Amino acid sequence: MLNTDEKTTRLVEPPTDTHGISSSSRLLLDQITDKWSVLILTTLCEGPLRFNEIRRRIDGISQKALTSSLRRLERSGILSRRVIPSSQIAVEYSITALGRTLDEPFRALFDWTINNSSKVLQAQFEFDKRAIED
């Protein structure tokens, strides 16, 4: 496993501790649940897509954020990258078998968000209103 910081890259043995939540578990949770990763994986669960198609489907994502998220997810074995040889080189991303196991929980989270966003916005409005009054 690679551990990277700003200046160096080195190989690090994967942790073997299975008691509690390890730092590697927290890092993985951070990787798969950041806002862009959730949207990327939800989009790719529909089928393989090229980089620019992913970017068009996810409103507001920058090229840098998309590249970084795709690279992290590929490194974790959650998606795969395939170079398509043609007159102009194209790259297609798809969900791996491991990544496919996230489809159901992500779909549930996405559906919950869609179904409850108006309730959350109302709760935020009420909270902010009370904060102003206090």
Side-chain angles (χ1 to χ4, degrees):
M1 170 153 94
L2 286 175
N3 185 15
T4 59
D5 61 26
E6 291 181 23
K7 297 181 181 178
T8 63
T9 301
R10 67 181 197 280
L11 289 175
V12 177
E13 288 294 321
T16 56
D17 179 20
T18 57
H19 305 314
I21 299 175
S22 66
S23 62
S24 63
S25 296
R26 287 191 310 274
L27 287 172
L28 180 57
L29 191 58
D30 285 346
Q31 284 179 8
I32 63 173
T33 60
D34 81 11
K35 68 179 177 180
W36 297 128
S37 294
V38 170
L39 294 172
I40 290 167
L41 291 170
T42 301
T43 301
L44 286 174
C45 278
E46 298 171 11
L49 293 171
R50 292 182 180 190
F51 181 92
N52 285 327
E53 183 61 27
I54 298 168
R55 190 167 173 207
R56 279 191 292 276
R57 290 187 185 197
I58 301 175
D59 188 40
I61 193 167
S62 69
Q63 182 171 338
K64 182 180 178 181
L66 179 56
T67 299
S68 177
S69 293
L70 289 169
R71 193 165 288 173
R72 270 193 324 272
L73 293 168
E74 180 184 8
R75 182 173 177 258
S76 297
I78 295 169
L79 59 82
S80 63
R81 177 182 185 269
R82 180 175 74 100
V83 176
I84 303 168
S86 61
S87 60
Q88 222 177 8
I89 293 180
V91 177
E92 180 180 77
Y93 293 89
S94 59
I95 299 289
T96 63
L98 176 62
R100 184 72 53 201
T101 63
L102 291 168
D103 187 27
E104 187 177 336
F106 276 12
R107 187 72 49 197
L109 181 59
F110 184 77
D111 290 345
W112 183 91
T113 303
I114 298 300
N115 293 331
N116 293 289
S117 62
S118 62
K119 293 173 188 170
V120 170
L121 289 172
Q122 183 63 39
Q124 290 171 344
F125 174 79
E126 295 296 328
F127 180 91
D128 293 345
K129 190 170 119 180
R130 284 191 310 273
I132 291 171
E133 292 171 355
D134 289 344

